[in-house]
Amino acid sequence: MTLHRTEDPEVKAAFYLERLLEQLDRECPLVAHHTFVTHHTTFRDVLDAALLDALQERVFAAAPGADDVFQPDWKELEHALEFGEYRFVHDTCNEYLLRYSHLRGQPSAESCLRQAQELLARCRMFFIEPEEMRINTFINGRIQFVVSERRSSSNHDDFSGNNGNGNGNGEKKKLQGDPGFSLVDALGSRYRCFVKQLSDARIDEVVRLKITNITEQTIRGEHGPERVVYMEPRVHSQEQVVIVLDDLSYTGNSYTFRLHSYDGFLWFKRRGVNHREFNPDTLHPGDHIVAQVLYTTEEVKLQRDGRIQRLGIIKAIPVRRVRSMTVAGPGTSAASIPA
């Protein structure tokens, strides 16, 4: 089954050339440089040498100086997103992240970096470039269906959900269903996205996600084949999440835990923590704790066989114990975005 994507090199080159010129006009030189380097082969295949050299010269001449300051107007970006100026938001937020991601962790920069990242994730609901369909990309999604029945086959999966799309086959192996939505990238490739680790999802609910797996499977959609992609809730600083303790770390200063695809460390010796309630004598493997996230990294770690072991790290501090999982309090659905 062939994916619905144009492979015409001239169409692809025209799209990225248009994007490159837009990025230069918007004074987003690092994003333009990234576009030029990433798609240089595509440009070389369709442009003559003189045009390619002129394009390269313009891209490199636009490089920012060491003292150049790039400060977006966040309110303007919010308005642009509301009015569908997705490319403008996409390029501006990416430029900010490329310039200042090295300052992550510094209080003066963390708020703006998070703001750029969240705006970009919201923007990707409506405009996402093919190269962004990769593991650990942040994206917000609006739940379109909740799969009630899923059955596998060797070539593709058929899914039936409460939105009426898909057809099951009783002779195929029944698998667990997930909430999800369909997505189309900027060049027309279609994806069927399924969200793991998210319970009680509702149709039209907007959730904060990140991509965890892009498979080679495709399924039949209303408008053609769709590649199967898996996502999970993403976690960010200052959020409260419910965790289950694993083991005391080798330093003795924290407990390890696992949350979605993240490895976590609960720092109970940190200043500001109630040390009488949270210490090595009162904490035990299996305890349920409401923890406040201090920061996360999207650091990928692979096993020796090449399989993914984790997709990030969480550092957190304990807030309170969870006496009953039926009333866990804040953080039970980390991905949900209030209306």
Side-chain angles (χ1 to χ4, degrees), residues 74 77-78 81 89 93-94 96-97 104 110-126 138-141 206-209 234-237 239 262 296 298 334-337:
W74 301 112
L77 288 172
E78 286 280 357
L81 192 58
V89 176
C93 289
N94 269 316
Y96 189 86
L97 292 171
R104 192 171 298 281
E110 188 64 33
S111 175
C112 288
L113 288 168
R114 179 178 166 187
Q115 196 165 1
Q117 205 165 41
E118 291 299 316
L119 275 168
L120 191 54
R122 289 165 56 193
C123 181
R124 289 183 180 129
M125 290 178 63
F126 311 101
F138 286 9
I139 182 172
N140 288 6
V206 177
V207 289
R208 299 184 179 99
L209 305 167
R234 69 179 184 270
V235 180
H236 55 76
S237 61
E239 184 175 11
Y262 294 90
T296 67
E298 309 308 313
S336 183
I337 299 175

Side-chain angles (χ1 to χ4, degrees), residues 245-288:
L245 301 186
D246 287 335
D247 298 298
L248 189 66
S249 67
Y250 72 92
T251 64
N253 295 323
S254 61
Y255 254 93
T256 61
F257 63 89
R258 181 80 173 183
L259 183 65
H260 310 320
S261 63
Y262 294 90
D263 283 342
F265 297 89
L266 185 75
W267 289 349
F268 53 80
K269 291 189 177 181
R270 187 179 173 91
R271 185 175 62 182
V273 173
N274 184 341
H275 298 134
R276 294 181 61 182
E277 183 174 0
F278 302 109
N279 60 66
D281 295 325
T282 61
L283 293 171
H284 307 92
D287 285 357
H288 291 75

Side-chain angles (χ1 to χ4, degrees), residues 18 33 60-61 119 132 138 183 209 241 247 256 274 297 302:
E18 179 185 6
H33 182 270
F60 281 79
L119 275 168
E132 295 177 301
F138 286 9
L183 184 68
L209 305 167
V241 294
D247 298 298
T256 61
N274 184 341
T297 70
L302 302 178

Side-chain angles (χ1 to χ4, degrees), residues 310-321:
R310 69 160 183 249
L311 292 179
I313 293 175
I314 296 173
K315 298 293 180 67
I317 57 175
V319 176
R320 67 178 185 275
R321 292 180 179 274

